[in-house]
Amino acid sequence: MPENNAEPALYLIATPIGNLGDVTLRAIQLLGSVDRLYAEDTRHSQRLLQAIGVDRQALPCHEHNEQAVASDITRAIQNGLSCGLISDAGTPGISDPGFRVVRACTAAGLKVIPVPGPNAAVAALSASGLPTDQFLFMGFLPPRRAARLRVFEAHIEQSATLVFYESTHRIDKFLEDAESIFGPERIICLARELTKRHETLLTGTILEVRQALGKGSSKGEFVVLIAKSGYTL
């Protein structure tokens, strides 16, 4: 049923990771009905709001002001207001701002309501061809090579599928380092620009995927999945 009068709570509203057609009916309703809407990038969120016909301005909540905004949101909910939080894409708090806000609301005994929807890690996993019974979400690795190698080395014998996010600027170095630690025959899946026009999924050995990526584009946002040791297609 429509939530025309959202109850006082924090609503974590997942938004599309690319294709705006993936926005849920519940998300659309709440984006227009919560008393206050907070967004990681208000300019980015404005494009989504315009596309779904919601005429309002969002308030900023990003990594540089999240602690202060968390206090504002808890006070607002305590005063009977409903607050929605969205990130630039996907689910708030998952490699995006949101954790501090949720922590503050939880500590204050306030209601936190997840509004599920798109998530790049799960979308990539579902289409990867890699085992899905166990997976370990690693998010973005440290930018320094030594730290990245230490993470890889610590998970050489991991029994779960490893899931990483990586940027267009570091994807080549990521794959080079992954091959040096896991070996060229380890099975991986590289998902690029999920749900967007140039969506690409490459599954095979690290060597095969690196060669295939070298023949195409390395621009965009990446999810990299590394299969457990001994897995074969």
Side-chain angles (χ1 to χ4, degrees):
M1 295 178 62
E3 300 172 57
N4 293 324
N5 296 304
E7 65 176 302
L10 171 66
Y11 293 84
L12 301 172
I13 306 171
T15 55
I17 58 176
N19 191 319
L20 294 183
D22 293 333
V23 67
T24 68
L25 294 176
R26 187 181 179 205
I28 292 173
Q29 190 282 318
L30 282 167
L31 289 170
S33 66
V34 290
D35 295 307
R36 292 184 182 178
L37 178 64
Y38 294 82
E40 181 181 2
D41 184 330
T42 56
R43 293 168 298 180
H44 183 91
S45 63
Q46 197 59 39
R47 294 194 290 271
L48 170 64
L49 295 175
Q50 291 175 348
I52 63 176
V54 173
D55 184 14
R56 71 179 306 169
Q57 294 290 325
L59 301 168
C61 178
H62 45 72
E63 62 177 328
H64 302 297
N65 74 346
E66 186 179 354
Q67 193 65 56
V69 170
S71 298
D72 292 341
I73 290 177
T74 55
R75 285 194 295 269
I77 297 173
Q78 288 167 338
N79 289 326
L81 299 181
S82 56
C83 296
L85 177 64
I86 61 176
S87 60
D88 286 350
T91 302
I94 309 300
S95 289
D96 279 322
F99 165 71
R100 294 180 180 87
V101 176
V102 172
R103 180 177 60 184
C105 289
T106 300
L110 302 174
K111 195 169 186 178
V112 178
I113 300 176
V115 183
N119 176 273
V122 174
L125 184 65
S126 70
S128 68
L130 274 59
T132 59
D133 55 334
Q134 295 183 61
F135 63 94
L136 180 61
F137 178 67
M138 305 293 291
F140 287 96
L141 289 182
R144 293 187 179 277
R145 184 171 189 260
R148 188 163 57 240
L149 290 173
R150 284 195 296 270
V151 173
F152 287 157
E153 289 169 349
H155 293 86
I156 291 176
E157 299 301 326
Q158 176 60 245
S159 61
T161 297
L162 301 173
V163 184
F164 301 90
Y165 286 163
E166 192 50 274
S167 70
T168 183
H169 307 292
R170 292 200 299 265
I171 188 62
D172 289 334
K173 293 183 181 299
F174 179 105
L175 293 175
E176 179 182 347
D177 290 341
E179 182 174 338
S180 72
I181 300 300
F182 295 103
E185 297 304 312
R186 181 66 69 96
I187 301 297
I188 68 169
C189 174
L190 188 73
R192 182 178 76 91
E193 293 288 86
L194 287 172
T195 80
K196 301 175 184 177
R197 178 178 297 178
H198 300 294
E199 176 181 274
T200 305
L201 284 102
L202 301 170
T203 298
T205 66
I206 296 181
L207 178 60
E208 291 169 341
V209 170
R210 287 189 68 194
Q211 291 175 340
L213 183 65
K215 297 176 182 178
S217 173
S218 61
K219 293 182 179 180
E221 299 174 337
F222 291 85
V223 182
V224 185
L225 303 98
I226 301 178
K228 61 184 179 181
S229 178
Y231 177 73
T232 58
L233 290 172

